[in-house]
């Protein structure tokens, strides 16, 4: 469930805040690490991930927290004018580390 919610939230953020012409969504399974990886990449306006979000914008922080609670990671790579790449990696359900 978290995986699909992450995909929806990341695409929604790209559309709302980045104004991209293109968004790509890639899903893969990394068997050796027993994880499923979601990558959402856009060619929108980008932003500075190191800066505090504007008031009322807390979706990425909540997603990062939920991902960490599930044993996964959220990585954001972006810069103004260069789009954004967000990567969520979660353990494959039912597998031991």
């Amino acid at each position: 469930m978290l995986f699909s919610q992450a995909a929806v939230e990341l695409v929604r953020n790209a559309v709302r805040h980045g104004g991209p012409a293109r968004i790509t969504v890639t899903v893969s399974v990394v068997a050796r690490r027993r994880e499923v990886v979601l990558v959402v990449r856009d060619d929108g306006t980008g932003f500075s991930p190191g800066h505090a979000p504007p008031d009322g914008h807390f979706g990425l922080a909540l997603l990062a927290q939920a991902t960490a609670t599930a044993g996964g990671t959220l990585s954001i790579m972006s810069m103004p004018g260069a789009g954004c790449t967000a990567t969520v990696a979660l353990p494959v359900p039912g597998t031991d580390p």
Side-chain angles (χ1 to χ4, degrees), residues 43-51 77-84:
D43 63 357
T45 58
F47 64 100
S48 296
H51 291 98
M77 293 177 43
S78 184
M79 61 186 335
C84 180

Side-chain angles (χ1 to χ4, degrees), residues 8-89:
V8 169
E9 181 64 22
L10 292 170
V11 170
R12 182 182 298 141
N13 275 356
V15 171
R16 281 186 183 168
H17 304 297
R22 172 177 284 189
I23 299 172
T24 58
V25 178
T26 306
V27 177
S28 58
V29 175
V30 182
R32 71 183 179 283
R33 292 195 322 236
R34 295 184 177 123
E35 66 184 11
V36 62
V37 178
L38 165 73
V39 178
V40 177
R41 181 174 288 121
D42 72 68
D43 63 357
T45 58
F47 64 100
S48 296
H51 291 98
D55 287 341
H57 293 256
F58 47 85
L60 289 178
L62 291 175
L63 181 57
Q65 182 179 22
T67 302
T69 298
T73 59
L74 169 65
S75 168
I76 304 290
M77 293 177 43
S78 184
M79 61 186 335
C84 180
T85 299
T87 305
V88 174

